[in-house]
Amino acid sequence: GGMDMISICICDDNIEFLEYFKKMLILAMKELDVEFVVECYTDAKQLLFELDELNKKIDIYFLDILIKEENGIQLAREIRKRSQIEQIIFFSMNKEYVFDCFDVMPLHYLLKEQLTLEDLKEVLNKAISIVNENKKKLFRFKKGHSFFQIPLNEILYFEVMNRVVTIHMKGRNEEFYSTMEQIEEKIDDECFVRVHRSFLVNMNWVDRIERNKVSMFNEEVIPIGAKYSKNVKNYMKLLLEKM
């Protein structure tokens, strides 16, 4: 339920601007009425270290195009190597760098000199709605002290055995402790269908549906439990309506 907290990161080596922008950001987020946390960095290396070592999850980055010896575009490339879905917004003193940053898919760039609260709210609004869309499409889970997230479309099916859940993907599996009920609650996607007490299947990966089993594209066969066959029927009805 409800939208998760939005985590925002600002990286700029100009401390005065950083402080000023942080205040502005807090004001904008209050007006948008969205829960958030914000962290500030003056050093790209420190930020990358924490992303890797502390497994930090950040939704929206504000990066200065020029940060000391590492430029912001370089930093954005490093962020993109780790994930494709965060929203990156660049600050710039002038327009000349704007074209350097297309390959890192920035959402927007803001000129420092002309920054208004209205501009910032507009950019944040856009970023937050994209983030929330993406969050719906990720499956997040905790294992030990670390958090992981997997794009839903990479998951073939979930299998549960005595409270151990296995996420089956192409070529790899992940295991963690949970129940099917908890997983169903977290996934807001009609393509995931509970076909059995022990199986929750991503129907996009299903090759054929038969009376008592589904066959996956990777040749695996998953039983349909008698109690759950109505879920499969409902899914098929939904498909037919869309055709």
Side-chain angles (χ1 to χ4, degrees):
M3 282 307 168
D4 292 354
M5 175 91 76
I6 297 279
S7 60
I8 299 173
C9 168
I10 311 169
C11 191
D12 192 320
D13 59 6
N14 175 338
I15 298 194
E16 276 133 53
F17 179 78
L18 197 64
E19 288 302 316
Y20 162 75
F21 183 74
K22 185 181 175 181
K23 288 195 182 99
M24 205 167 167
L25 181 81
I26 290 169
L27 205 63
M29 291 298 273
K30 277 213 172 82
E31 288 190 17
L32 292 172
D33 196 24
V34 175
E35 272 191 77
F36 71 105
V37 288
V38 59
E39 294 197 44
C40 297
Y41 293 85
T42 53
D43 179 354
K45 287 190 183 66
Q46 183 61 31
L47 169 57
L48 289 172
F49 171 78
E50 294 195 10
L51 286 183
D52 290 339
E53 293 304 306
L54 308 178
N55 206 344
K56 278 218 159 107
K57 293 286 173 255
I58 293 177
D59 298 312
I60 301 170
Y61 289 91
F62 287 92
L63 308 177
D64 192 351
I65 281 195
L66 300 170
I67 311 170
K68 284 202 194 78
E69 59 275 14
E70 290 258 350
N71 76 27
I73 292 167
Q74 213 36 58
L75 173 57
R77 281 201 184 100
E78 288 297 322
I79 291 167
R80 282 279 168 257
K81 275 182 201 163
R82 291 158 176 78
S83 166
Q84 294 300 309
I85 63 169
E86 280 84 5
Q87 298 306 300
I88 294 175
I89 295 142
F90 285 115
F91 300 126
S92 182
M93 287 303 276
N94 54 29
K95 285 198 166 87
E96 66 179 281
Y97 295 103
V98 169
F99 298 106
D100 298 346
C101 55
F102 284 139
D103 61 335
V104 289
M105 302 184 304
L107 176 69
H108 201 80
Y109 66 96
L110 297 168
L111 291 175
K112 286 188 174 185
E113 297 298 307
Q114 306 160 4
L115 190 54
T116 68
L117 191 62
E118 285 311 305
D119 289 341
L120 181 56
K121 271 166 58 180
E122 200 177 311
V123 169
L124 279 167
N125 223 347
K126 191 169 161 191
I128 290 163
S129 63
I130 296 172
V131 164
N132 285 333
E133 272 308 299
N134 285 336
K135 280 189 175 174
K136 281 187 216 153
K137 301 187 175 101
L138 281 177
F139 180 74
R140 297 194 152 120
F141 61 98
K142 194 172 180 244
K143 203 170 150 175
H145 293 295
S146 299
F147 281 94
F148 295 89
Q149 45 190 27
I150 296 176
L152 282 180
N153 60 2
E154 289 179 15
I155 297 173
L156 281 73
Y157 62 95
F158 293 88
E159 178 180 14
V160 68
M161 283 274 287
N162 347 315
R163 281 194 65 83
V164 176
V165 172
T166 306
I167 304 177
H168 292 262
M169 290 164 280
K170 260 174 94 168
R172 70 186 179 103
N173 294 343
E174 284 285 353
E175 290 188 346
F176 63 105
Y177 288 101
S178 186
T179 64
M180 250 350 165
E181 286 65 37
Q182 282 169 335
I183 290 170
E184 280 185 294
E185 238 166 70
K186 270 169 124 175
I187 295 182
D188 171 27
D189 188 323
E190 58 202 19
C191 295
F192 279 80
V193 177
R194 181 85 178 265
V195 300
H196 187 279
R197 192 168 51 98
S198 307
F199 296 100
L200 176 68
V201 173
N202 181 350
M203 300 304 276
N204 292 330
W205 288 90
V206 167
D207 186 21
R208 345 179 258 296
I209 301 173
E210 293 165 54
R211 201 172 51 84
N212 56 359
K213 60 180 192 276
V214 293
S215 303
M216 311 294 283
F217 281 121
N218 67 349
E219 312 290 312
E220 288 188 66
V221 175
I222 293 168
I224 297 175
K227 208 176 110 190
Y228 296 91
S229 63
K230 65 174 185 306
N231 294 353
V232 180
K233 288 195 181 94
N234 288 342
Y235 173 77
M236 288 167 76
K237 231 169 54 200
L238 204 90
L239 273 192
L240 292 170
E241 281 164 16
K242 283 187 175 171
M243 280 175 180

